[in-house]
Amino acid sequence: MASDIHFSPAAPVRWCHLITARTQLDESKPRAWTCELVLDNNDPKHKAFLTKLDAIFTETHGTKKKRSDKGQPWKPDKEDPTKTVVKFKALEFVREDGSKATGPQIIDAKRQPWDGSQIGNGSELIIKFSTYGWERPEGTGLSLQPKAAQVVKFTAREEQDATDGFEEQEGYSVADAGSYVDEFSDEAPF
């Protein structure tokens, strides 16, 4: 069941993978563009958005059908009970011709195309999305599929240097590679 287009309120995000699709925990599944929107339960716009999501769910499935445990992509935050986390996910499908589906379009606050920078935790986004209702033996559910996002406030993703903690040592150096002699090579000088 496809749906209309909806917009989230501006809110902080975490685990944002909207620039490039990420491998899922179950590697047999297609890669996916994902993002968690963190809503403040005391913010009137955020509360209204959660009410809207619940209404969309009810409109899609009615009130009598059982909801799957994983069917509602908004849940209380595990670390902060004053927050609700809303999960968005769109799969990277491979078409019959071998081409891949494109991800969500990203724009900045001035509606200009995004420069490709990875979006870090704490960035504030407005997410344009569609909904997809589904029904399985364990119950019904609703998927929120991101179509586009507007970056209102940007925090760069922190990339950790994998070499942090190492100290310089005596031994092989790439800088000295021209003077390195492989003693097992057929071209060794001895």
Side-chain angles (χ1 to χ4, degrees):
M1 295 179 242
S3 76
D4 297 329
I5 296 295
H6 307 279
F7 290 84
S8 76
V13 296
R14 63 183 181 203
W15 310 116
C16 188
H17 296 274
L18 295 178
I19 304 300
T20 54
R22 68 169 179 82
T23 302
Q24 297 194 62
L25 293 176
D26 178 352
E27 292 184 14
S28 68
K29 293 184 177 181
R31 293 166 46 90
W33 293 278
T34 61
C35 187
E36 291 185 1
L37 195 67
V38 183
L39 302 178
D40 181 343
N41 295 336
N42 297 314
D43 182 311
K45 289 181 182 177
H46 293 187
K47 286 168 62 173
F49 179 65
L50 291 169
T51 300
K52 177 182 174 180
L53 288 178
D54 203 49
I56 292 169
F57 196 107
T58 301
E59 181 182 310
T60 303
H61 294 296
T63 57
K64 301 201 186 256
K65 290 188 179 178
K66 178 185 173 204
R67 290 186 183 196
S68 168
D69 290 342
K70 296 183 179 181
Q72 186 173 302
W74 60 96
K75 303 226 184 294
D77 185 31
K78 292 176 183 175
E79 297 171 13
D80 184 348
T82 68
K83 308 278 188 218
T84 298
V85 176
V86 181
K87 295 183 179 186
F88 296 85
K89 179 177 180 180
L91 299 178
E92 181 186 53
F93 290 108
V94 178
R95 298 182 186 99
E96 288 182 16
D97 66 1
S99 65
K100 294 181 179 179
T102 57
Q105 183 178 356
I106 312 296
I107 59 174
D108 66 16
K110 304 296 182 195
R111 298 189 58 210
Q112 298 303 305
W114 192 245
D115 66 3
S117 298
Q118 294 294 330
I119 299 168
N121 291 350
S123 294
E124 196 170 291
L125 272 61
I126 298 171
I127 300 177
K128 179 180 182 178
F129 66 98
S130 64
T131 59
Y132 180 79
W134 49 266
E135 189 168 343
R136 298 186 186 136
E138 71 269 14
T140 60
L142 191 68
S143 296
L144 308 180
Q145 301 171 327
K147 300 297 181 188
Q150 184 175 29
V151 181
V152 177
K153 178 182 147 202
F154 177 65
T155 302
R157 181 177 291 168
E158 291 182 24
E159 300 290 337
Q160 293 185 349
D161 183 351
T163 64
D164 280 352
F166 287 102
E167 294 179 15
E168 191 173 311
Q169 304 288 327
E170 283 295 318
Y172 176 77
S173 170
V174 174
D176 299 333
S179 62
Y180 176 73
V181 177
D182 181 357
E183 61 189 82
F184 298 106
S185 168
D186 292 336
E187 299 171 13
F190 38 87

